[in-house]
mmCIF file of all heavy atoms in Angstrom:
data_model
loop_
_atom_site.group_PDB
_atom_site.id
_atom_site.type_symbol
_atom_site.label_atom_id
_atom_site.label_comp_id
_atom_site.label_asym_id
_atom_site.label_seq_id
_atom_site.Cartn_x
_atom_site.Cartn_y
_atom_site.Cartn_z
ATOM 1 N N PHE A 28 -8.669 2.504 -0.764
ATOM 2 C CA PHE A 28 -9.053 3.885 -0.486
ATOM 3 C C PHE A 28 -7.896 4.632 0.155
ATOM 4 O O PHE A 28 -7.313 4.168 1.131
ATOM 5 C CB PHE A 28 -10.269 3.891 0.433
ATOM 6 C CG PHE A 28 -10.790 5.253 0.772
ATOM 7 C CD1 PHE A 28 -11.320 6.074 -0.202
ATOM 8 C CD2 PHE A 28 -10.762 5.709 2.077
ATOM 9 C CE1 PHE A 28 -11.807 7.326 0.107
ATOM 10 C CE2 PHE A 28 -11.245 6.953 2.406
ATOM 11 C CZ PHE A 28 -11.773 7.770 1.415
ATOM 12 N N PHE A 29 -7.555 5.789 -0.419
ATOM 13 C CA PHE A 29 -6.461 6.632 0.058
ATOM 14 C C PHE A 29 -6.984 8.043 0.278
ATOM 15 O O PHE A 29 -7.924 8.478 -0.385
ATOM 16 C CB PHE A 29 -5.330 6.695 -0.981
ATOM 17 C CG PHE A 29 -4.669 5.383 -1.265
ATOM 18 C CD1 PHE A 29 -5.219 4.488 -2.172
ATOM 19 C CD2 PHE A 29 -3.487 5.044 -0.638
ATOM 20 C CE1 PHE A 29 -4.610 3.278 -2.445
ATOM 21 C CE2 PHE A 29 -2.864 3.832 -0.908
ATOM 22 C CZ PHE A 29 -3.432 2.956 -1.809
ATOM 23 N N ARG A 30 -6.340 8.775 1.177
ATOM 24 C CA ARG A 30 -6.626 10.198 1.377
ATOM 25 C C ARG A 30 -5.334 10.976 1.211
ATOM 26 O O ARG A 30 -4.252 10.451 1.444
ATOM 27 C CB ARG A 30 -7.165 10.447 2.782
ATOM 28 C CG ARG A 30 -8.599 10.071 2.928
ATOM 29 C CD ARG A 30 -9.227 10.735 4.143
ATOM 30 N NE ARG A 30 -10.632 10.421 4.142
ATOM 31 C CZ ARG A 30 -11.256 9.780 5.103
ATOM 32 N NH1 ARG A 30 -10.613 9.409 6.186
ATOM 33 N NH2 ARG A 30 -12.543 9.530 5.015
ATOM 34 N N GLY A 31 -5.484 12.239 0.851
ATOM 35 C CA GLY A 31 -4.306 13.069 0.697
ATOM 36 C C GLY A 31 -4.649 14.533 0.606
ATOM 37 O O GLY A 31 -5.799 14.938 0.763
ATOM 38 N N ARG A 32 -3.622 15.315 0.319
ATOM 39 C CA ARG A 32 -3.779 16.763 0.173
ATOM 40 C C ARG A 32 -3.056 17.161 -1.107
ATOM 41 O O ARG A 32 -1.878 16.870 -1.289
ATOM 42 C CB ARG A 32 -3.176 17.479 1.374
ATOM 43 C CG ARG A 32 -3.451 18.955 1.394
ATOM 44 C CD ARG A 32 -3.612 19.421 2.842
ATOM 45 N NE ARG A 32 -3.889 20.846 2.905
ATOM 46 C CZ ARG A 32 -5.118 21.361 2.866
ATOM 47 N NH1 ARG A 32 -6.151 20.569 2.776
ATOM 48 N NH2 ARG A 32 -5.295 22.658 2.941
ATOM 49 N N SER A 33 -3.805 17.823 -1.994
ATOM 50 C CA SER A 33 -3.264 18.228 -3.281
ATOM 51 C C SER A 33 -3.744 19.638 -3.596
ATOM 52 O O SER A 33 -4.951 19.914 -3.532
ATOM 53 C CB SER A 33 -3.735 17.269 -4.377
ATOM 54 O OG SER A 33 -3.233 17.662 -5.623
ATOM 55 N N ARG A 34 -2.815 20.508 -3.921
ATOM 56 C CA ARG A 34 -3.134 21.903 -4.255
ATOM 57 C C ARG A 34 -4.012 22.546 -3.193
ATOM 58 O O ARG A 34 -5.019 23.169 -3.482
ATOM 59 C CB ARG A 34 -3.795 21.976 -5.620
ATOM 60 C CG ARG A 34 -2.894 21.495 -6.721
ATOM 61 C CD ARG A 34 -3.532 21.665 -8.080
ATOM 62 N NE ARG A 34 -2.768 20.935 -9.057
ATOM 63 C CZ ARG A 34 -3.246 19.911 -9.742
ATOM 64 N NH1 ARG A 34 -4.475 19.514 -9.596
ATOM 65 N NH2 ARG A 34 -2.472 19.293 -10.600
ATOM 66 N N PHE A 35 -3.662 22.324 -1.952
ATOM 67 C CA PHE A 35 -4.333 22.914 -0.789
ATOM 68 C C PHE A 35 -5.779 22.446 -0.613
ATOM 69 O O PHE A 35 -6.578 23.112 0.032
ATOM 70 C CB PHE A 35 -4.255 24.445 -0.836
ATOM 71 C CG PHE A 35 -2.851 24.926 -1.000
ATOM 72 C CD1 PHE A 35 -2.420 25.443 -2.214
ATOM 73 C CD2 PHE A 35 -1.937 24.826 0.040
ATOM 74 C CE1 PHE A 35 -1.104 25.872 -2.380
ATOM 75 C CE2 PHE A 35 -0.627 25.254 -0.113
ATOM 76 C CZ PHE A 35 -0.214 25.779 -1.326
ATOM 77 N N LYS A 36 -6.120 21.296 -1.200
ATOM 78 C CA LYS A 36 -7.437 20.690 -1.029
ATOM 79 C C LYS A 36 -7.262 19.279 -0.500
ATOM 80 O O LYS A 36 -6.324 18.578 -0.885
ATOM 81 C CB LYS A 36 -8.188 20.601 -2.365
ATOM 82 C CG LYS A 36 -8.516 21.913 -2.999
ATOM 83 C CD LYS A 36 -9.251 21.670 -4.297
ATOM 84 C CE LYS A 36 -9.434 22.949 -5.063
ATOM 85 N NZ LYS A 36 -10.043 22.709 -6.363
ATOM 86 N N ASP A 37 -8.180 18.852 0.361
ATOM 87 C CA ASP A 37 -8.206 17.454 0.780
ATOM 88 C C ASP A 37 -8.860 16.648 -0.329
ATOM 89 O O ASP A 37 -9.922 17.016 -0.847
ATOM 90 C CB ASP A 37 -8.985 17.301 2.086
ATOM 91 C CG ASP A 37 -8.267 17.929 3.265
ATOM 92 O OD1 ASP A 37 -7.020 17.961 3.246
ATOM 93 O OD2 ASP A 37 -8.936 18.385 4.196
ATOM 94 N N VAL A 38 -8.204 15.557 -0.709
ATOM 95 C CA VAL A 38 -8.709 14.713 -1.791
ATOM 96 C C VAL A 38 -8.734 13.262 -1.341
ATOM 97 O O VAL A 38 -8.063 12.877 -0.375
ATOM 98 C CB VAL A 38 -7.849 14.844 -3.074
ATOM 99 C CG1 VAL A 38 -8.001 16.217 -3.689
ATOM 100 C CG2 VAL A 38 -6.400 14.537 -2.805
ATOM 101 N N GLU A 39 -9.516 12.460 -2.062
ATOM 102 C CA GLU A 39 -9.610 11.022 -1.811
ATOM 103 C C GLU A 39 -9.387 10.295 -3.125
ATOM 104 O O GLU A 39 -9.843 10.742 -4.176
ATOM 105 C CB GLU A 39 -10.972 10.690 -1.217
ATOM 106 C CG GLU A 39 -11.196 11.380 0.119
ATOM 107 C CD GLU A 39 -12.605 11.212 0.651
ATOM 108 O OE1 GLU A 39 -13.519 10.876 -0.124
ATOM 109 O OE2 GLU A 39 -12.788 11.439 1.857
ATOM 110 N N PHE A 40 -8.674 9.181 -3.037
ATOM 111 C CA PHE A 40 -8.392 8.352 -4.201
ATOM 112 C C PHE A 40 -8.979 6.968 -3.956
ATOM 113 O O PHE A 40 -8.880 6.434 -2.858
ATOM 114 C CB PHE A 40 -6.884 8.183 -4.406
ATOM 115 C CG PHE A 40 -6.140 9.457 -4.659
ATOM 116 C CD1 PHE A 40 -5.492 10.123 -3.622
ATOM 117 C CD2 PHE A 40 -6.056 9.992 -5.937
ATOM 118 C CE1 PHE A 40 -4.784 11.290 -3.844
ATOM 119 C CE2 PHE A 40 -5.343 11.162 -6.168
ATOM 120 C CZ PHE A 40 -4.710 11.809 -5.123
ATOM 121 N N LEU A 41 -9.543 6.392 -4.999
ATOM 122 C CA LEU A 41 -10.004 5.014 -4.959
ATOM 123 C C LEU A 41 -9.346 4.293 -6.126
ATOM 124 O O LEU A 41 -9.477 4.717 -7.283
ATOM 125 C CB LEU A 41 -11.531 4.944 -5.086
ATOM 126 C CG LEU A 41 -12.139 3.559 -4.962
ATOM 127 C CD1 LEU A 41 -11.957 3.019 -3.545
ATOM 128 C CD2 LEU A 41 -13.608 3.585 -5.334
ATOM 129 N N VAL A 42 -8.597 3.232 -5.824
ATOM 130 C CA VAL A 42 -7.929 2.451 -6.860
ATOM 131 C C VAL A 42 -8.685 1.139 -6.989
ATOM 132 O O VAL A 42 -8.721 0.325 -6.064
ATOM 133 C CB VAL A 42 -6.448 2.197 -6.508
ATOM 134 C CG1 VAL A 42 -5.784 1.391 -7.610
ATOM 135 C CG2 VAL A 42 -5.713 3.519 -6.290
ATOM 136 N N SER A 43 -9.327 0.944 -8.146
ATOM 137 C CA SER A 43 -10.162 -0.236 -8.373
ATOM 138 C C SER A 43 -9.310 -1.462 -8.687
ATOM 139 O O SER A 43 -8.093 -1.364 -8.874
ATOM 140 C CB SER A 43 -11.128 0.036 -9.521
ATOM 141 O OG SER A 43 -10.415 0.168 -10.736
ATOM 142 N N ALA A 44 -9.974 -2.616 -8.790
ATOM 143 C CA ALA A 44 -9.280 -3.868 -9.099
ATOM 144 C C ALA A 44 -8.588 -3.803 -10.458
ATOM 145 O O ALA A 44 -7.578 -4.461 -10.677
ATOM 146 C CB ALA A 44 -10.271 -5.033 -9.063
ATOM 147 N N SER A 45 -9.113 -2.989 -11.369
ATOM 148 C CA SER A 45 -8.491 -2.833 -12.681
ATOM 149 C C SER A 45 -7.310 -1.857 -12.643
ATOM 150 O O SER A 45 -6.703 -1.586 -13.666
ATOM 151 C CB SER A 45 -9.523 -2.325 -13.694
ATOM 152 O OG SER A 45 -9.951 -1.021 -13.334
ATOM 153 N N ARG A 46 -7.018 -1.310 -11.435
ATOM 154 C CA ARG A 46 -5.939 -0.364 -11.174
ATOM 155 C C ARG A 46 -6.264 1.048 -11.652
ATOM 156 O O ARG A 46 -5.413 1.915 -11.679
ATOM 157 C CB ARG A 46 -4.598 -0.852 -11.738
ATOM 158 C CG ARG A 46 -4.129 -2.160 -11.153
ATOM 159 C CD ARG A 46 -2.701 -2.529 -11.497
ATOM 160 N NE ARG A 46 -2.273 -2.204 -12.825
ATOM 161 C CZ ARG A 46 -2.275 -3.041 -13.859
ATOM 162 N NH1 ARG A 46 -2.674 -4.273 -13.690
ATOM 163 N NH2 ARG A 46 -1.850 -2.654 -15.043
ATOM 164 N N HIS A 47 -7.521 1.286 -12.051
ATOM 165 C CA HIS A 47 -7.943 2.634 -12.453
ATOM 166 C C HIS A 47 -8.079 3.510 -11.217
ATOM 167 O O HIS A 47 -8.581 3.077 -10.191
ATOM 168 C CB HIS A 47 -9.282 2.576 -13.198
ATOM 169 C CG HIS A 47 -9.731 3.913 -13.675
ATOM 170 N ND1 HIS A 47 -10.820 4.543 -13.154
ATOM 171 C CD2 HIS A 47 -9.210 4.745 -14.614
ATOM 172 C CE1 HIS A 47 -10.974 5.716 -13.757
ATOM 173 N NE2 HIS A 47 -10.010 5.860 -14.646
ATOM 174 N N VAL A 48 -7.627 4.754 -11.310
ATOM 175 C CA VAL A 48 -7.670 5.691 -10.189
ATOM 176 C C VAL A 48 -8.879 6.619 -10.338
ATOM 177 O O VAL A 48 -9.061 7.253 -11.385
ATOM 178 C CB VAL A 48 -6.381 6.545 -10.127
ATOM 179 C CG1 VAL A 48 -6.443 7.526 -8.961
ATOM 180 C CG2 VAL A 48 -5.154 5.657 -10.020
ATOM 181 N N TRP A 49 -9.695 6.670 -9.300
ATOM 182 C CA TRP A 49 -10.825 7.587 -9.210
ATOM 183 C C TRP A 49 -10.473 8.639 -8.170
ATOM 184 O O TRP A 49 -9.758 8.361 -7.215
ATOM 185 C CB TRP A 49 -12.085 6.837 -8.785
ATOM 186 C CG TRP A 49 -12.544 5.839 -9.813
ATOM 187 C CD1 TRP A 49 -12.000 4.612 -10.049
ATOM 188 C CD2 TRP A 49 -13.596 6.000 -10.742
ATOM 189 N NE1 TRP A 49 -12.661 3.990 -11.067
ATOM 190 C CE2 TRP A 49 -13.656 4.823 -11.510
ATOM 191 C CE3 TRP A 49 -14.504 7.027 -10.996
ATOM 192 C CZ2 TRP A 49 -14.594 4.648 -12.518
ATOM 193 C CZ3 TRP A 49 -15.444 6.835 -11.996
ATOM 194 C CH2 TRP A 49 -15.477 5.657 -12.759
ATOM 195 N N LEU A 50 -10.999 9.847 -8.351
ATOM 196 C CA LEU A 50 -10.633 10.965 -7.489
ATOM 197 C C LEU A 50 -11.886 11.746 -7.100
ATOM 198 O O LEU A 50 -12.815 11.890 -7.899
ATOM 199 C CB LEU A 50 -9.679 11.889 -8.258
ATOM 200 C CG LEU A 50 -9.239 13.186 -7.611
ATOM 201 C CD1 LEU A 50 -8.304 12.912 -6.443
ATOM 202 C CD2 LEU A 50 -8.559 14.077 -8.635
ATOM 203 N N ARG A 51 -11.900 12.249 -5.868
ATOM 204 C CA ARG A 51 -12.938 13.196 -5.462
ATOM 205 C C ARG A 51 -12.370 14.096 -4.377
ATOM 206 O O ARG A 51 -11.447 13.718 -3.652
ATOM 207 C CB ARG A 51 -14.202 12.500 -4.976
ATOM 208 C CG ARG A 51 -14.086 11.848 -3.615
ATOM 209 C CD ARG A 51 -15.406 11.255 -3.195
ATOM 210 N NE ARG A 51 -15.263 10.556 -1.924
ATOM 211 C CZ ARG A 51 -16.196 9.821 -1.383
ATOM 212 N NH1 ARG A 51 -17.344 9.662 -1.993
ATOM 213 N NH2 ARG A 51 -15.987 9.229 -0.238
ATOM 214 N N GLU A 52 -12.928 15.293 -4.308
ATOM 215 C CA GLU A 52 -12.570 16.187 -3.215
ATOM 216 C C GLU A 52 -13.275 15.692 -1.964
ATOM 217 O O GLU A 52 -14.412 15.224 -2.035
ATOM 218 C CB GLU A 52 -12.988 17.621 -3.531
ATOM 219 C CG GLU A 52 -12.149 18.264 -4.605
ATOM 220 C CD GLU A 52 -12.556 19.700 -4.857
ATOM 221 O OE1 GLU A 52 -13.128 20.340 -3.953
ATOM 222 O OE2 GLU A 52 -12.300 20.170 -5.971
ATOM 223 N N SER A 53 -12.629 15.787 -0.819
ATOM 224 C CA SER A 53 -13.240 15.343 0.436
ATOM 225 C C SER A 53 -14.552 16.077 0.645
ATOM 226 O O SER A 53 -14.667 17.270 0.374
ATOM 227 C CB SER A 53 -12.304 15.609 1.613
ATOM 228 O OG SER A 53 -11.201 14.755 1.532
ATOM 229 N N GLY A 54 -15.549 15.340 1.094
ATOM 230 C CA GLY A 54 -16.857 15.915 1.342
ATOM 231 C C GLY A 54 -17.796 15.837 0.158
ATOM 232 O O GLY A 54 -18.995 16.046 0.302
ATOM 233 N N ARG A 55 -17.288 15.532 -1.010
ATOM 234 C CA ARG A 55 -18.123 15.393 -2.204
ATOM 235 C C ARG A 55 -18.639 13.969 -2.308
ATOM 236 O O ARG A 55 -18.004 13.035 -1.824
ATOM 237 C CB ARG A 55 -17.328 15.725 -3.466
ATOM 238 C CG ARG A 55 -16.828 17.134 -3.547
ATOM 239 C CD ARG A 55 -17.913 18.017 -4.137
ATOM 240 N NE ARG A 55 -17.519 19.411 -4.136
ATOM 241 C CZ ARG A 55 -17.337 20.118 -5.222
ATOM 242 N NH1 ARG A 55 -17.490 19.572 -6.400
ATOM 243 N NH2 ARG A 55 -17.004 21.385 -5.124
ATOM 244 N N ARG A 56 -19.745 13.795 -2.974
ATOM 245 C CA ARG A 56 -20.319 12.459 -3.137
ATOM 246 C C ARG A 56 -19.837 11.772 -4.411
ATOM 247 O O ARG A 56 -19.714 10.563 -4.458
ATOM 248 C CB ARG A 56 -21.849 12.541 -3.159
ATOM 249 C CG ARG A 56 -22.395 13.023 -1.830
ATOM 250 C CD ARG A 56 -23.884 12.949 -1.786
ATOM 251 N NE ARG A 56 -24.268 11.544 -1.718
ATOM 252 C CZ ARG A 56 -25.448 11.075 -2.098
ATOM 253 N NH1 ARG A 56 -26.355 11.884 -2.564
ATOM 254 N NH2 ARG A 56 -25.711 9.789 -2.007
ATOM 255 N N GLU A 57 -19.585 12.541 -5.475
ATOM 256 C CA GLU A 57 -19.285 11.981 -6.780
ATOM 257 C C GLU A 57 -17.794 11.719 -6.970
ATOM 258 O O GLU A 57 -16.977 12.579 -6.693
ATOM 259 C CB GLU A 57 -19.748 12.936 -7.899
ATOM 260 C CG GLU A 57 -21.205 13.300 -7.839
ATOM 261 C CD GLU A 57 -21.478 14.476 -6.908
ATOM 262 O OE1 GLU A 57 -20.560 15.280 -6.674
ATOM 263 O OE2 GLU A 57 -22.590 14.562 -6.379
ATOM 264 N N TRP A 58 -17.492 10.519 -7.463
ATOM 265 C CA TRP A 58 -16.118 10.188 -7.840
ATOM 266 C C TRP A 58 -15.925 10.552 -9.309
ATOM 267 O O TRP A 58 -16.810 10.339 -10.133
ATOM 268 C CB TRP A 58 -15.875 8.683 -7.663
ATOM 269 C CG TRP A 58 -15.780 8.250 -6.246
ATOM 270 C CD1 TRP A 58 -16.781 7.745 -5.478
ATOM 271 C CD2 TRP A 58 -14.624 8.275 -5.417
ATOM 272 N NE1 TRP A 58 -16.320 7.453 -4.230
ATOM 273 C CE2 TRP A 58 -14.988 7.768 -4.160
ATOM 274 C CE3 TRP A 58 -13.305 8.688 -5.611
ATOM 275 C CZ2 TRP A 58 -14.092 7.655 -3.112
ATOM 276 C CZ3 TRP A 58 -12.418 8.568 -4.568
ATOM 277 C CH2 TRP A 58 -12.809 8.054 -3.330
ATOM 278 N N ARG A 59 -14.755 11.083 -9.649
ATOM 279 C CA ARG A 59 -14.408 11.401 -11.032
ATOM 280 C C ARG A 59 -13.389 10.395 -11.548
ATOM 281 O O ARG A 59 -12.388 10.144 -10.877
ATOM 282 C CB ARG A 59 -13.780 12.782 -11.130
ATOM 283 C CG ARG A 59 -14.682 13.923 -10.845
ATOM 284 C CD ARG A 59 -13.975 15.244 -11.119
ATOM 285 N NE ARG A 59 -12.510 15.122 -11.049
ATOM 286 C CZ ARG A 59 -11.718 16.003 -10.469
ATOM 287 N NH1 ARG A 59 -12.203 17.068 -9.920
ATOM 288 N NH2 ARG A 59 -10.415 15.814 -10.443
ATOM 289 N N PRO A 60 -13.620 9.849 -12.742
ATOM 290 C CA PRO A 60 -12.582 9.003 -13.330
ATOM 291 C C PRO A 60 -11.414 9.877 -13.754
ATOM 292 O O PRO A 60 -11.602 11.007 -14.209
ATOM 293 C CB PRO A 60 -13.282 8.374 -14.537
ATOM 294 C CG PRO A 60 -14.376 9.318 -14.883
ATOM 295 C CD PRO A 60 -14.793 9.984 -13.597
ATOM 296 N N THR A 61 -10.208 9.387 -13.569
ATOM 297 C CA THR A 61 -9.029 10.188 -13.922
ATOM 298 C C THR A 61 -8.436 9.787 -15.267
ATOM 299 O O THR A 61 -7.666 10.541 -15.839
ATOM 300 C CB THR A 61 -7.930 10.040 -12.855
ATOM 301 O OG1 THR A 61 -7.506 8.669 -12.824
ATOM 302 C CG2 THR A 61 -8.414 10.485 -11.493
ATOM 303 N N GLY A 62 -8.739 8.574 -15.728
ATOM 304 C CA GLY A 62 -8.107 8.079 -16.938
ATOM 305 C C GLY A 62 -6.689 7.586 -16.688
ATOM 306 O O GLY A 62 -5.967 7.250 -17.614
#
Side-chain angles (χ1 to χ4, degrees):
F28 181 65
F29 297 83
R30 282 199 175 120
R32 187 146 180 89
S33 179
R34 297 184 192 116
F35 307 106
K36 296 180 188 175
D37 291 330
V38 292
E39 298 173 341
F40 298 97
L41 184 67
V42 180
S43 67
S45 65
R46 299 191 322 264
H47 182 248
V48 180
W49 294 77
L50 175 70
R51 73 177 176 188
E52 289 182 24
S53 291
R55 297 274 175 116
R56 295 187 71 203
E57 304 85 24
W58 288 95
R59 292 186 337 222
T61 63

